[in-house]
Amino acid sequence: MYEYINGLITNITPSYIVIASRSGVGYRLYSANPYRFEENVESHVYVQQIVRENDISLYGFIDADEKALFNKLLNVSGIGPKSALAILANGDAEGLISAVENDNVAYLTQFPGVGKKTAQQIVLDLKGKLDELASKTGMINASSSPEQSQALDDALEALLALGYTAKDVKAVAQIIGRNSDTTDGYIRSALKLLVK
């Protein structure tokens, strides 16, 4: 139902933030790490609504990729919103994706509430299903500007939308990340590599 909320972060607690929308409503958003947000700062927070028998809760995320990973985790048998947040609190999406793809059950059992059986279920349910998210993590050169990073992200999303596999996009991302600074330039560079 909700995609995101723009508003002022009015309160930060260990488990949730409160964001006051421009309409004057304050929303409680449970978050993996509420302290990534800044109090008294206008923010753009991605939101997921979870409806249960006796509860309706909102969960807030720093970006759309974190929200997507949360939803993927919720599809795993035995993982609920609290467990998914505990896994995301680590902040290492690339490590999580790598663990799933490489059957690293030991890595997954380090999270609260995730035993060996649940870790095996995470691998079983998510292996091969995190390709799009994997293609977006760890590819941006640390020295690039925020504008270059956004342009590269947009280009990678465009390539995925064109039908290229996440594996192909990831393969060219490292190369094109050094060659341009506009979305169009990144796409052109990538297409030259992909059509060879």
Side-chain angles (χ1 to χ4, degrees):
M1 179 176 190
Y2 300 105
E3 184 63 27
Y4 59 83
I5 297 175
N6 286 324
L8 182 71
I9 306 291
T10 60
N11 193 14
I12 297 174
T13 74
S15 60
Y16 65 86
I17 62 170
V18 176
I19 185 168
S21 70
R22 292 185 178 110
S23 63
V25 177
Y27 294 95
R28 176 185 288 194
L29 306 175
Y30 294 97
S31 177
N33 182 356
Y35 297 104
R36 291 180 296 170
F37 299 96
E38 291 184 52
E39 201 166 331
N40 298 318
V41 173
E42 284 283 327
S43 299
H44 181 86
V45 183
Y46 286 84
V47 177
Q48 180 63 48
Q49 180 180 18
I50 304 290
V51 178
R52 296 207 157 167
E53 221 175 90
N54 58 354
D55 183 44
I56 298 175
S57 297
L58 296 174
Y59 294 83
F61 307 96
I62 205 84
D63 59 30
D65 292 337
E66 184 182 43
K67 178 181 175 179
L69 189 52
F70 175 81
N71 284 316
K72 295 275 188 187
L73 288 167
L74 289 181
N75 289 325
V76 175
S77 178
I79 298 288
K82 286 184 181 180
S83 295
L85 284 183
I87 292 169
L88 292 176
N90 166 321
D92 182 19
E94 191 173 349
L96 173 63
I97 293 167
S98 175
V100 169
E101 296 303 318
N102 296 310
D103 300 327
N104 188 349
V105 173
Y107 178 89
L108 298 171
T109 57
Q110 72 178 339
F111 300 113
V114 178
K116 187 175 181 181
K117 187 175 179 181
T118 303
Q120 290 169 336
Q121 191 67 46
I122 291 171
V123 170
L124 181 67
D125 289 354
L126 296 183
K127 189 168 186 172
K129 296 180 181 175
L130 301 175
D131 290 342
E132 184 178 325
L133 292 172
S135 70
K136 294 179 183 179
T137 61
M139 291 184 295
I140 298 168
N141 186 337
S143 65
S144 63
S145 71
E147 293 80 17
Q148 287 174 310
S149 297
Q150 185 60 52
L152 180 57
D153 282 347
D154 291 345
L156 298 177
E157 287 183 40
L159 292 169
L160 291 168
L162 289 171
Y164 289 99
T165 67
K167 182 179 178 182
D168 290 339
V169 171
K170 187 174 183 178
V172 299
Q174 294 291 341
I175 300 166
I176 67 170
R178 298 185 295 262
N179 294 343
S180 187
D181 61 355
T182 66
T183 302
D184 181 53
Y186 286 129
I187 292 172
R188 289 175 189 271
S189 298
L191 290 174
K192 285 179 187 174
L193 295 169
L194 290 167
V195 297
K196 283 185 178 181

